[in-house]
Amino acid sequence: MCGLFAQAGVKDLDMFGLKGPVDSICIIMNDAGLEWQNEFTFDEHGMLVELDGMEVECTRDELGRMKTIIVEDVVEDNEDAFTTIEMHLFYDNAGRVVKVTSMSADETWTQNYRYHHNGNLKERDYDSVDSDEMLTYVYLKFDDYGNWTKRQEKLASMDQTITQTRNITYRK
């Protein structure tokens, strides 16, 4: 399990901009009625242990931050087939993820992240062999812990907005 090797003080919750005793989050994306979701589960120390119900396999850097994450993903248009995706994470001096390079058997793509002064994601650009895309974020709702619970992701090239709702379950 990836979470066991983290150093004291480092939490994967920080990568998600989460505060408080978070047990899990479910992020629901809605693109004009078409919905999909991702679920993340954390242990009592704030370390990511499951992604969409599957145990997270990762390596960590000398500070205890995730350096490489390996996940199995369903192949598009074939729910019985899976592909392995290996993600390499890079951080800024504030400990925020600023770049993720992902590789599968078929392609490689990079995402770069830029943040507002308050730590919320401001922009993300996505670069692959097939396309380049810039996305911007507007935050609509926050909970009592200061975690965003609703935001909009706007794709620059298509004037398209995806609403993201984050259902957060807290430990008691």
Side-chain angles (χ1 to χ4, degrees):
M1 185 181 303
C2 187
L4 297 176
F5 301 104
Q7 293 182 359
V10 172
K11 294 186 222 172
D12 294 336
L13 292 174
D14 298 337
M15 286 179 21
F16 294 86
L18 289 165
K19 303 167 203 82
V22 175
D23 179 66
S24 63
I25 60 171
C26 178
I27 303 173
I28 301 166
M29 280 75 62
N30 185 314
D31 181 4
L34 175 63
E35 284 193 355
W36 66 99
Q37 68 184 32
N38 292 109
E39 295 182 43
F40 304 86
T41 304
F42 302 88
D43 68 13
E44 62 276 4
H45 305 292
M47 307 310 290
L48 183 64
V49 292
E50 286 185 359
L51 170 59
D52 292 333
M54 299 177 76
E55 188 173 306
V56 175
E57 181 181 333
C58 77
T59 60
R60 294 188 177 271
D61 66 13
E62 63 280 355
L63 298 176
R65 302 175 299 194
M66 286 190 192
K67 186 169 93 172
T68 304
I69 303 171
I70 299 173
V71 296
E72 295 290 320
D73 197 18
V74 174
V75 174
E76 192 172 325
D77 298 328
N78 185 353
E79 292 185 15
D80 295 326
F82 291 88
T83 185
T84 300
I85 299 173
E86 183 174 321
M87 298 175 277
H88 298 271
L89 289 75
F90 302 88
Y91 298 85
D92 65 10
N93 291 336
R96 297 176 296 212
V97 175
V98 292
K99 180 178 177 179
V100 176
T101 302
S102 303
M103 294 169 275
S104 70
D106 300 327
E107 65 179 315
T108 299
W109 62 98
T110 300
Q111 298 180 80
N112 295 293
Y113 302 88
R114 286 170 290 291
Y115 298 87
H116 289 286
H117 66 280
N118 64 6
N120 286 331
L121 183 62
K122 177 170 118 176
E123 298 174 330
R124 172 172 63 105
D125 62 70
Y126 174 92
D127 300 315
S128 73
V129 173
D130 297 330
S131 69
D132 295 335
E133 184 65 63
M134 172 64 77
L135 302 102
T136 57
Y137 297 87
V138 174
Y139 294 83
L140 305 172
K141 289 185 183 176
F142 293 85
D143 68 11
D144 292 340
Y145 284 97
N147 295 317
W148 70 264
T149 57
K150 189 172 187 176
R151 72 179 181 188
Q152 290 181 328
E153 177 182 73
K154 184 166 175 60
L155 286 78
S157 67
M158 298 192 305
D159 193 30
Q160 176 183 15
T161 300
I162 297 172
T163 300
Q164 299 176 342
T165 303
R166 210 162 59 162
N167 296 325
I168 305 171
T169 303
Y170 293 95
R171 294 182 188 284
K172 301 216 188 263

